[in-house]
Amino acid sequence: MRVQVAIIGAGPAGLLLAQLLQRAGVEAIVLEQRSAEYVLGRIRAGVLEQASVDLLHEAGVGERLRREGLVHDGIELCFGGERHRVALRELTGGQCVTVYGQTEVTRDLMQALAASGARTVYEAQDVSLHDVDGDRPRVRYTKDGVPHELSCDFIAGCDGFHGVSRTCVPASVLRTFERVYPFGWLGVLCDTPPVSPELIYANHERGFALCSMRSRTRSRYYVQCSLDERVEDWSDERFFDELRARLDGPAASTLITGPSIEKSIAPLRSFVAEPMRFGRLFLAGDAAHIVPPTGAKGLNLAASDIRYLSRALIEYYRTGHEEGIDSYSARCLRRVWKAERFSWWMTSIMHRFPDTGAFGQRIQEAELAYLVGSRAASAALAENYVGLPFED
Ligand code: APR
Ligand code: PHB
């Protein structure tokens, strides 16, 4: 079978690309190794930059987001037992973020794609890429035991960190950069009202904590944990005791707890693969880069790659111009590295590091005090948090 663009992976990157291409009349097919239910069952990020919101509107999937997304004009930093607000909107000349779960973004995209008759193959096994540096790349996969082959113009590798696409870039071309952090995040989702209307990022001697949410009745909380922790050892009670211990008095005493509906541990990693294009293969989203979640950039960077990639491919099919395609990797990487820097920095000032001791803790507190006391420093945080500008 022939298709213009083969997309590997039905995470937010792959689905958003498929939807944008479909609306522009470019034929695409998505190949996903898991079932749609499995993809929707993953609990992931929840904070959207305005540019991500705009792109979802452009993709025609902004309606529920407009109704149900929670617009946040600020975040709170908690340290030394007190909370300090960073007024995002005021510090950025009117920009904000929207809290709307990645699961909901995925659901909206899946529905829109299904309604438009776009082709998505779930449970596509043994996906393999061929001739990615030639004119006519091919993708092979197996569905229900039957082998298939797609011939295409381009392949979008949107298959996440553990996907197959990045492995198709020869070792002599691919360069990777990585930092693995010596801790993880233990996250809990529960149907209780959030402790505070805005997100609280807490630095505490016992470790980092984050109070986030999915809606006015659903909360998402995290505590920093060591990498050898096991979820089974964390009862809801133990989790909430630990969370309370890391928050300021008023937040700790007003926290409403309830039975968890999801509990998991995620490691923290920074990772970048360069280049993001090899021949007719483009890497996008987690396939090309990972950020620690502290800056809320993972999903937004996936959307930002797709913004560049969708425009490049649509321009190519409309006009034959290849500028967008040729500049894809370099343009993405400039924005990716700035988000990597921000995420690494947020991680480094908010977490307890095993090797820096009491000195490290005091340095962090001094940096946080400087941050909330200086308009320039707060503005730098705010403009990164709401999302840096694009080149076009
Ligand atoms: N063949 C087909 N599909 C694959 C393969 C494969 N060999 N390997 C992985 N996949 C699928 C996964 O099952 C997953 O559904 O690719 C998809 C990748 O989706 P994500 O991991 O969500 O990555 P991405 O779309 O880039 O989204 C990035 O997700 O992990 C969060 O924090 C991250 O918010 C960011 C966003
Ligand atoms: C989340 O709600 O899951 C979340 C919010 C902000 C972050 C990370 C995760 O920085």
Side-chain angles (χ1 to χ4, degrees):
M1 195 165 72
R2 227 196 92 64
V3 67
Q4 288 174 314
V5 182
I7 300 173
I8 319 298
L15 293 173
L16 183 54
L17 178 63
Q19 175 68 7
L20 288 162
L21 293 181
Q22 166 85 10
R23 281 169 73 89
V26 178
E27 287 173 359
I29 181 163
V30 181
L31 302 177
E32 164 62 50
Q33 70 178 359
R34 305 286 194 164
S35 67
E37 297 71 42
Y38 180 94
V39 171
L40 280 173
R42 293 188 295 221
I43 306 296
R44 297 266 183 87
V47 176
L48 298 176
E49 296 174 357
Q50 189 57 46
S52 305
V53 170
D54 293 344
L55 194 63
L56 290 165
H57 281 295
E58 191 179 315
V61 291
E63 214 24 66
R64 196 159 70 92
L65 168 61
R66 195 196 317 272
R67 282 199 315 272
E68 296 178 15
L70 303 174
V71 172
H72 282 206
D73 292 343
I75 55 170
E76 294 196 292
L77 300 180
C78 179
F79 58 96
E82 277 175 29
R83 267 184 279 160
H84 306 262
R85 183 165 190 265
V86 179
L88 298 175
R89 190 184 287 279
E90 209 183 292
L91 289 161
T92 57
Q95 297 188 68
C96 60
V97 294
T98 301
V99 170
Y100 190 72
Q102 177 169 328
T103 313
E104 306 312 315
V105 172
T106 308
R107 195 190 310 280
D108 295 344
L109 284 165
M110 281 180 174
Q111 277 175 5
L113 280 166
S116 66
R119 283 172 296 171
T120 310
V121 181
Y122 288 98
E123 296 172 308
Q125 304 304 314
D126 308 320
V127 172
S128 62
L129 282 52
H130 306 270
D131 300 333
V132 295
D133 53 348
D135 291 345
R136 192 44 54 95
R138 287 168 298 120
V139 181
R140 293 199 187 125
Y141 65 98
T142 307
K143 170 75 183 171
D144 299 329
V146 181
H148 295 266
E149 183 172 292
L150 288 175
S151 153
C152 53
D153 299 331
F154 300 102
I155 301 174
C158 303
D159 47 356
F161 184 66
H162 299 287
V164 67
S165 301
R166 196 177 60 249
T167 66
C168 300
V169 182
S172 57
V173 175
L174 191 74
R175 205 167 159 205
T176 60
F177 304 81
E178 185 168 39
R179 165 163 302 208
V180 177
Y181 299 87
F183 41 74
W185 280 16
L186 170 62
V188 156
L189 187 69
C190 60
D191 279 325
T192 54
V195 64
S196 174
E198 293 181 340
L199 271 61
I200 304 175
Y201 288 84
N203 172 301
H204 192 276
E205 283 168 15
R206 298 179 67 89
F208 169 75
L210 169 61
C211 302
S212 181
M213 66 198 72
R214 291 290 174 275
S215 70
R216 288 194 181 84
T217 55
R218 182 168 281 192
S219 300
R220 180 72 166 156
Y221 296 114
Y222 299 95
V223 294
Q224 175 185 352
C225 65
S226 74
L227 283 170
D228 47 27
E229 292 289 352
R230 296 176 334 148
V231 178
E232 306 80 73
D233 296 332
W234 284 84
S235 64
D236 291 352
E237 197 186 359
R238 180 178 173 207
F239 177 87
F240 284 115
D241 285 346
E242 189 57 47
L243 177 64
R244 264 192 225 98
R246 299 181 186 192
L247 299 177
D248 60 293
S253 62
T254 52
L255 179 74
I256 300 174
T257 65
S260 61
I261 49 180
E262 197 262 1
K263 195 184 284 158
S264 54
I265 294 181
L268 270 70
R269 179 196 305 269
S270 296
F271 173 86
V272 181
E274 293 182 356
M276 287 174 59
R277 174 197 177 189
F278 175 66
R280 290 183 166 245
L281 167 67
F282 301 91
L283 301 178
D286 279 14
H289 40 73
I290 297 287
V291 284
T294 327
K297 291 286 166 240
L299 175 56
N300 291 301
L301 272 189
S304 123
D305 294 347
I306 295 307
R307 187 175 183 278
Y308 284 130
L309 184 54
S310 59
R311 282 162 170 57
L313 291 171
I314 291 166
E315 176 188 63
Y316 172 82
Y317 284 110
R318 285 205 180 131
T319 66
H321 292 161
E322 298 189 14
E323 288 90 336
I325 286 172
D326 290 339
S327 59
Y328 170 75
S329 175
R331 276 167 138 191
C332 283
L333 284 167
R334 282 192 286 272
R335 199 165 187 278
V336 164
W337 273 112
K338 287 178 187 157
E340 289 282 345
R341 186 212 63 84
F342 175 67
S343 306
W344 160 83
W345 170 77
M346 278 280 277
T347 303
S348 68
I349 62 164
M350 295 308 299
H351 291 77
R352 179 152 184 82
F353 283 74
D355 53 345
T356 55
F359 178 80
Q361 178 70 27
R362 283 287 189 276
I363 290 287
Q364 287 179 340
E365 285 166 9
E367 178 152 10
L368 287 162
Y370 166 64
L371 198 59
V372 298
S374 155
R375 190 175 171 91
S378 305
L381 187 161
E383 70 181 12
N384 279 278
Y385 196 85
V386 302
L388 293 174
F390 286 82
E391 291 181 21
D392 56 8

